[in-house]
Amino acid sequence: MKIFKRLLTLLLFFIAVTSMVSGLLLVISPGGAMLNLSLSLLDGTSFKNFLIPGILLFAVVGGVNMYAAFVNLLKRQNRYNWAIKGGVVIIGWIIAQMIIISTVHWLHILYLTIGISIILLSVQLKGKWAV
């Protein structure tokens, strides 16, 4: 069980750090150049550049997952609830992104898999599906 708790915390930190770094790069370079993103990805949306998506990626996706990672690290009572929230947030972000850009990239599959894994690990560790 200890390995699953460590894996959960590691996955939460991975999502948090990569979301915060990517979000920060989008805020610094709203044109998307630092992440090699074309502004044409935003065609048909209300966004003129990646500033607002970058802020949301950093603060919401990164913030929720970073908080969840720390609560898990500190073994707080509600840690698995926060981990589930972190998983739901990354899954929601990725699904919205796939709908907006109308394509699926291997990174989408990776992040969806991690989000689902976070939720499944959290539910198992919480004891809802104890085997």
Side-chain angles (χ1 to χ4, degrees), residues 31-105:
M34 292 181 86
L35 290 176
N36 199 27
L37 297 174
S38 170
L39 284 175
S40 65
L41 290 171
L42 298 175
D43 289 349
T45 72
S46 58
F47 302 114
K48 293 186 182 357
N49 59 40
F50 291 103
L51 178 64
I52 301 301
I55 292 169
L56 294 172
L57 182 58
F58 180 89
V60 178
V61 180
V64 168
N65 279 280
M66 186 63 78
Y67 184 77
F70 276 113
V71 220
N72 269 273
L73 200 59
L74 298 173
K75 299 176 182 170
R76 297 274 165 85
Q77 183 178 356
N78 61 349
R79 63 187 178 266
Y80 302 126
N81 291 335
W82 274 102
I84 291 169
K85 290 173 189 171
V88 168
V89 167
I90 188 60
I91 289 170
W93 177 267
I94 295 299
I95 289 173
Q97 193 177 78
M98 290 188 307
I99 290 168
I100 289 170
I101 66 174
S102 300
T103 189
V104 177
H105 189 274

Side-chain angles (χ1 to χ4, degrees), residues 3-52:
I3 188 79
F4 294 126
K5 291 177 182 181
R6 288 183 181 165
L7 177 60
L8 177 61
T9 303
L10 178 69
L11 292 174
L12 289 165
F13 271 121
F14 175 79
I15 296 294
V17 170
T18 58
S19 298
M20 293 178 113
V21 168
S22 299
L24 185 61
L25 291 174
L26 291 173
V27 169
I28 292 169
S29 177
M34 292 181 86
L35 290 176
N36 199 27
L37 297 174
S38 170
L39 284 175
S40 65
L41 290 171
L42 298 175
D43 289 349
T45 72
S46 58
F47 302 114
K48 293 186 182 357
N49 59 40
F50 291 103
L51 178 64
I52 301 301

